[in-house]
Amino acid sequence: MKRIWCLLIFATVAPAADAPRINGPKVYGVHPARPFLYTIPATGPRPMKFSARGLPRSLKLDSNTGRITGTSPERGEYTVTLRARNSHGTAERAFRIVSGDTLALTPPMGWSTWYMAYAQISDQLVRAQADAMVSSGLIQHGYSYINIDDGWNVKPGSPDPEVGGAARDGEGNLLPNKKFPDMKALCDYVHSKGLKIGIYIGPGPLTCAGYEASYGHEEQDARQFARWGFDFLKYDLCSYRKLIKDRNSVEENEKPYLAMHAALEKLDRDFVYNLCQYGLANVWEWGRRAGGNFWRTTGDVGSAKAGLWERVSEVGFSQAGKEKWAGPGGWNDPDNLLIGQILWHRKLQPTPLTADEQYSYVTLWSILAAPLVFGGDMTKLDDFTLDLLTNDEVIDINQDVLGRQGAPVWKSGDTEVWAKDLADGSKAAALFNRGESEADVAARWRDLSIRGKQAVRDVWSHTDLGEYDGEFRARLPKHGSRMLRLRGLNR
Ligand code: GAL
């Protein structure tokens, strides 16, 4: 009898496995009176019905798609209760819309063309990838930006008829190349999927791959991007580097980024602004002041001379010490996630990283509160890569509203323990073994600045590991890691 009661209680309290779960950020920043698009990320079998309580009047929700559109409300904070229902149950989540001066209140999540295609991109490729962001389910976990990188416009002097020709029209407006016949239609298409779309250019005369850039046309180009309907700009220093006389001068390095920021501010659209200048003049110290929502802190992760793992760990672990400058609205960017099918040695192929290295990569980017920009081919996602990208407990740590960048709290030889404070008072901890053989790693409470009994949860496997006091110890494989969430029990 007792057992039946237990089962009954469990059945009513525990959410059914197939009940919806609302994922993604819990806070969303916009500027007032701009076009608004947010798709509620929710997992669970369809059909699903969405509703929202407390939605500002200027916004409307499509109850079938979960898409919120309209015009962002006047300055203020709006707490909305999002709800998703399917035949297995209902999920509810509080969602704060902050209409003010700051975008990217949590690290942006999306995808970029660069590491799967370099400059060999086209309208068709971008549409197929947008389709795949939806059909793979990535959109249901909070991925929302489809970012076009270098190679979309004209390459002055190129003999290739597809990318050569006039870079601007008679009025100086930027022209896309022949592989992008209608940029507005492409932006509309991506928006029609509930996603956002990003574009790429630089402040110099040319981009890194030799395509036309914005030097002398900054405002005009920004206006063109807005007319087409873009939502995001990656601004890549490249040839402007030669125009900087003192490479350590903050003023000189900041100038082109401030200029484009001023141009973006005048537009009637929200643009998330990504500074890409490889960490010059300690960009993390002034990237936010220059208007950046995230800034690359290093050279490319993909420019690995030795192995990819060596480069991933060099770039990722070197974010330590930069945590002071990261937070809501402005994030350190250690570059994209090179997992799944990526261009490697100029060929589209599976990432050379081992499974343990890939877990460590995503663990590190998540505890760092780094933007999660997938670099692989979304039309060729295998289950392992999809699982790595869509673990909602891992994403919750990345997207936590406190917006802390995790930092190392203990190091010894090749082993490290990192920690990140979370908004609900719990703590994320990541244990890493960067060495070439198995190692024991202990997360000690005194290093984590916590006390007493802790409920320890393994976030990757969604398993409660039990109560621990003083420390948690694990044996980690070569290049392996563990990500935990610890909740104090004696409060
Ligand atoms: C690099 C940049 C890469 C990619 C590339 C395009 O400078 O760091 O992320 O955008 O240029 O040519």
Side-chain angles (χ1 to χ4, degrees):
M1 186 63 183
K2 215 168 165 188
R3 212 166 134 196
I4 293 171
W5 270 116
C6 283
L7 283 174
L8 274 176
I9 290 168
F10 184 76
T12 45
V13 176
D18 282 337
R21 184 188 197 273
I22 300 178
N23 304 309
K26 291 186 179 138
V27 63
Y28 184 62
V30 290
H31 290 135
R34 305 268 172 88
F36 186 103
L37 170 63
Y38 182 81
T39 302
I40 302 170
T43 37
R46 269 47 183 180
M48 197 176 280
K49 278 275 177 201
F50 294 90
S51 59
R53 246 192 353 262
L55 203 62
R57 283 234 296 275
S58 62
L59 300 176
K60 65 171 195 307
L61 165 69
D62 180 322
S63 61
N64 294 315
T65 60
R67 244 172 255 164
I68 305 174
T69 54
T71 304
S72 41
E74 59 186 64
R75 204 166 267 278
E77 291 203 18
Y78 305 83
T79 301
V80 181
T81 307
L82 304 177
R83 207 167 213 258
R85 179 166 50 86
N86 68 6
S87 58
H88 305 273
T90 305
E92 245 187 40
R93 196 183 216 195
F95 180 65
R96 213 152 35 89
I97 298 172
V98 183
S99 184
D101 301 314
T102 317
L103 307 178
L105 293 177
T106 62
M109 294 173 66
W111 167 89
S112 156
T113 51
W114 185 244
Y115 284 123
M116 70 148 285
Y118 294 151
Q120 308 313 310
I121 54 175
S122 65
D123 175 280
Q124 270 162 311
L125 178 145
V126 174
R127 283 176 194 244
Q129 294 294 325
D131 291 349
M133 188 177 269
V134 177
S135 62
S136 65
L138 283 172
I139 190 175
Q140 299 175 4
H141 301 268
Y143 291 86
S144 61
Y145 285 96
I146 295 285
N147 292 342
I148 301 175
D149 208 277
D150 211 349
W152 63 270
N153 62 346
V154 168
K155 188 171 188 176
S158 169
D160 177 349
E162 289 210 293
V163 300
R168 294 176 180 275
D169 70 11
E171 269 103 56
N173 295 312
L174 261 180
L175 297 169
N177 64 37
K178 305 238 170 19
K179 296 187 287 173
F180 289 88
D182 188 341
M183 274 300 192
K184 176 155 189 335
L186 177 57
C187 292
D188 289 347
Y189 182 79
V190 171
H191 292 148
S192 79
K193 301 259 143 186
L195 300 169
K196 300 200 171 176
I197 179 159
I199 192 74
Y200 164 100
I201 202 144
L206 296 175
T207 67
C208 292
Y211 292 72
E212 174 77 1
S214 289
Y215 188 70
H217 292 272
E218 294 79 0
E219 286 211 8
Q220 190 175 20
D221 291 355
R223 281 199 302 271
Q224 180 67 277
F225 297 146
R227 268 199 304 275
W228 281 332
F230 283 100
D231 309 291
F232 173 108
L233 175 67
K234 173 172 167 184
Y235 207 42
D236 193 354
L237 193 67
C238 298
S239 61
Y240 191 95
R241 240 175 141 150
K242 294 197 197 95
L243 304 173
I244 293 176
K245 289 188 201 81
D246 172 6
R247 54 196 292 264
N248 299 318
S249 155
V250 170
E251 206 191 326
E252 275 195 81
N253 278 283
E254 193 177 22
K255 193 175 149 204
Y257 287 95
L258 278 169
M260 183 48 92
H261 176 60
L264 295 176
E265 286 290 284
K266 290 187 192 144
L267 305 173
D268 54 6
R269 293 188 69 79
D270 280 348
F271 271 79
V272 165
Y273 187 31
N274 177 200
L275 318 188
C276 178
Q277 47 82 285
Y278 342 113
L280 296 172
N282 292 357
V283 63
W284 47 91
E285 294 174 3
W286 50 266
R288 183 187 293 269
R289 190 174 71 213
N293 296 116
F294 58 116
W295 41 84
R296 282 271 302 281
T297 51
T298 66
D300 297 7
V301 169
S303 71
K305 291 202 181 65
L308 183 55
W309 168 252
E310 284 67 26
R311 182 69 184 149
V312 166
S313 56
E314 178 191 356
V315 167
F317 290 105
S318 76
Q319 305 304 305
K322 302 186 177 77
E323 57 278 357
K324 185 168 139 202
W325 291 281
W331 311 95
N332 289 312
D333 174 15
D335 206 1
N336 301 346
L337 294 168
L338 278 85
I339 57 178
Q341 295 275 334
I342 55 160
L343 278 181
W344 188 243
H345 300 308
R346 306 220 141 246
K347 190 174 154 244
L348 193 69
Q349 55 181 307
T351 182
L353 299 171
T354 65
D356 286 326
E357 290 166 350
Q358 295 182 60
Y359 275 116
S360 297
Y361 196 166
V362 181
T363 297
L364 184 52
W365 262 234
S366 298
I367 203 148
L368 280 170
L372 297 178
V373 183
F374 176 46
D377 186 342
M378 289 188 285
T379 68
K380 298 199 170 78
L381 275 166
D382 56 280
D383 290 346
F384 179 77
T385 310
L386 195 58
D387 284 352
L388 276 172
L389 290 168
T390 60
N391 189 305
D392 297 308
E393 290 192 37
V394 174
I395 292 174
D396 281 348
I397 289 174
N398 174 267
Q399 292 291 305
D400 186 76
V401 297
L402 256 195
R404 295 282 166 79
Q405 173 174 322
V409 293
W410 178 84
K411 275 189 199 196
S412 170
D414 290 324
T415 55
E416 304 191 7
V417 175
W418 287 54
K420 178 186 195 306
D421 288 335
L422 300 169
D424 67 352
S426 68
K427 183 138 334 212
L431 287 58
F432 294 100
N433 171 18
R434 300 173 64 182
E436 298 306 309
S437 45
E438 253 187 12
D440 275 329
V441 184
R444 292 187 190 84
W445 282 198
R446 62 164 188 272
D447 299 324
L448 295 168
S449 311
I450 52 177
R451 278 160 188 276
K453 273 202 190 125
Q454 305 281 322
V456 177
R457 183 164 173 88
D458 183 305
V459 290
W460 277 109
S461 65
H462 309 310
T463 323
D464 288 324
L465 301 176
E467 290 176 16
Y468 287 77
D469 206 349
E471 65 170 35
F472 177 87
R473 193 172 271 279
R475 170 147 290 216
L476 301 180
K478 159 186 172 176
H479 305 168
S481 57
R482 205 67 192 269
M483 177 126 87
L484 310 169
R485 192 157 179 156
L486 301 106
R487 283 174 213 276
L489 294 168
N490 304 338
R491 275 191 254 150

